[in-house]
Amino acid sequence: MTVRKATQRETQKILQHSEKVMEEATMGYVKSQKDKAYQMVLSYFDEGGFYLVYAKNDNIQGWIGIGRAMDSFADEMVGLIFEIFVLPKYRKQGIAEKLFFEAFEYLKGEGCKIVQLNVFEGNPARHLYQKLGFREISTIMERQL
């Protein structure tokens, strides 16, 4: 098993899962729209983002999308995790953690001192993120009108 940068072909295959990834990640808050999910991911690629994949015998079991962006509050370049997904039949095997650790090493090598991600309220992955050392720094609140 190995973690490596996704090939162009693998990236296209991963993008076919964009709608499902968005649905799970947003806990149903964002209505699934394949085009919208696809376009959101592509915007990260425009800024140099890419996927790392966890694969066994060229069979992708999970992936993590990483990139960099300017944090306007801290006024510094930070690493971004824009997507993490492990295919359902491979979950609970430590794959997400392995992907995160590879992403951390890559981003550290790029000079990032901080890595950020966005997580929706109620997402069970929040516990993993906290275990990996992420802490909450902002909350978006809304009210119906």
Side-chain angles (χ1 to χ4, degrees):
M1 290 171 259
T2 183
V3 176
R4 58 176 170 69
K5 189 173 181 178
T7 66
Q8 184 83 3
R9 185 170 164 226
E10 289 168 334
T11 297
Q12 292 305 314
K13 188 174 180 179
I14 290 168
L15 288 171
Q16 293 173 6
H17 294 272
S18 293
E19 186 176 14
K20 178 66 174 166
V21 172
M22 178 182 271
E23 181 182 309
E24 280 191 28
T26 66
M27 305 300 298
Y29 180 81
V30 177
K31 298 212 182 327
S32 295
Q33 297 173 354
K34 189 172 187 169
D35 290 341
K36 182 177 186 174
Y38 188 78
Q39 291 304 317
M40 286 177 69
V41 172
L42 289 181
S43 69
Y44 290 108
F45 293 154
D46 290 343
E47 300 297 321
F50 60 90
Y51 289 117
L52 292 175
V53 295
Y54 181 91
K56 182 177 182 181
N57 301 327
D58 290 325
N59 179 35
I60 296 173
Q61 297 179 3
W63 57 86
I64 190 166
I66 64 175
R68 297 183 313 150
M70 182 59 72
D71 180 325
S72 56
F73 294 112
D75 202 27
E76 68 179 318
M77 190 64 72
V78 297
L80 290 179
I81 304 295
F82 62 85
E83 186 174 307
I84 177 73
F85 195 79
V86 176
L87 294 168
K89 69 181 180 178
Y90 302 112
R91 293 180 182 172
K92 305 289 186 200
Q93 298 177 30
I95 294 171
E97 286 185 48
K98 290 175 182 152
L99 287 162
F100 269 106
F101 289 129
E102 287 293 326
F104 296 160
E105 287 303 310
Y106 176 83
L107 293 167
K108 193 184 300 182
E110 290 290 304
C112 296
K113 296 177 186 162
I114 295 172
V115 62
Q116 298 176 343
L117 58 76
N118 184 46
V119 61
F120 276 75
E121 183 70 32
N123 188 326
R126 177 184 231 106
H127 298 291
L128 171 63
Y129 305 154
Q130 290 169 333
K131 177 182 167 187
L132 293 171
F134 287 92
R135 63 185 178 86
E136 191 171 318
I137 60 168
S138 176
T139 301
I140 296 174
M141 299 175 75
E142 70 176 20
R143 177 183 182 273
Q144 295 290 324
L145 297 178

